[in-house]
Amino acid sequence: MLSMLIFVCFALTTAKEISTPKYSFIVRQNAELDCSSLGSAKFYQGGSLITNETFPNVKIIDENKLFFNNLTLEQIRSNYRCINEESKNYILFNKHPVILIESGHSMQKLVDGMFEIKVKVFNVESNCSWIQYKNNSIVNISQSDTITLEKHSMSIRNLKQDSAGNYGCLISNDYGLFVGYSVVEVKSIASTLWPFLVVSIQVLLCCVAIFAYEKFSIKKKDDNQYNLSQQHFFKGRMASA
């Protein structure tokens, strides 16, 4: 009987995870995290407490709802939780997709070269839908002889100058949408050599200027020596006379 009472008391004081209610995280959209099922609650981003002063675009409503106005990328990349300090019951908001670009957010490549984009996906088990931003519109990318698409990576070979653009991995689920993208520049070999040619020309002009200055200095020195010798010669003639 005593052991049963201890078990009941332990069960009553043990924290319990409450199922996550519906929410949606999309960049530059509004979102609300509803913890009203807990009663009053405190909100945390990672291990940091959130207050009305934490973010300029975040407001706590009725002590149990967290409202985001115009979500930022940094806010979407985080997971959140709310907890009732009395019951210790809590809700996790960690079901929205998050993408980390491993290969860098920008890269410069040469014509006829290749590039590869690698990403890590958090919170969801899903494959990338690969897209390109082109002419202010989104174009879906398909596998081809020069394009290889994998679960979390893509590569393009035999680049042309019109291959430049913004390439991204798009993942969405019932809890949000996220696009991680890289900006790819494609340059011709001539454009990459041009800075070297400019520097080479500058060095050549400096060398020519130094050579001309040295020649002028030597000639001026020779002229001065000739004038001095002439002066000594005439002074000698005048003295002997």
Side-chain angles (χ1 to χ4, degrees), residues 17-27 29-36 43-44 64-68 71-72 75-82 91-98 122-124 171-178:
E17 181 180 351
I18 308 300
S19 60
T20 304
K22 181 71 175 176
Y23 74 100
S24 180
F25 271 5
I26 301 175
V27 67
Q29 300 292 317
N30 298 340
E32 184 178 80
L33 306 184
D34 187 354
C35 293
S36 56
F43 290 87
Y44 292 85
N64 53 29
K65 296 183 181 70
L66 189 67
F67 180 77
F68 292 87
L71 276 161
T72 67
Q75 289 169 339
I76 290 179
R77 289 191 180 104
S78 299
N79 291 333
Y80 301 85
R81 65 186 172 95
C82 58
I91 297 174
L92 296 178
F93 296 90
N94 60 352
K95 300 182 181 299
H96 54 284
V98 177
F122 299 92
N123 296 346
V124 295
I171 289 182
S172 63
N173 64 6
D174 292 339
Y175 297 92
L177 178 149
F178 197 102

Side-chain angles (χ1 to χ4, degrees), residues 11 77 81 112 138 143 145 157 183 194 202-204 206 213:
R77 289 191 180 104
R81 65 186 172 95
D112 295 329
I138 295 177
Q143 185 104 356
D145 292 338
R157 302 180 299 279
V183 179
W194 179 246
Q202 289 175 340
V203 171
L204 180 62
C206 288
Y213 176 78

Side-chain angles (χ1 to χ4, degrees), residues 169 188 205 234:
C169 163
S188 64
L205 290 175
F234 285 117

Side-chain angles (χ1 to χ4, degrees), residues 106-107 109 115 117 159 163-167 182-186:
S106 65
M107 56 184 77
K109 299 296 178 180
F115 74 83
I117 299 175
L159 294 173
S163 301
N166 296 354
Y167 294 85
S182 288
V183 179
V184 180
E185 295 182 56
V186 181

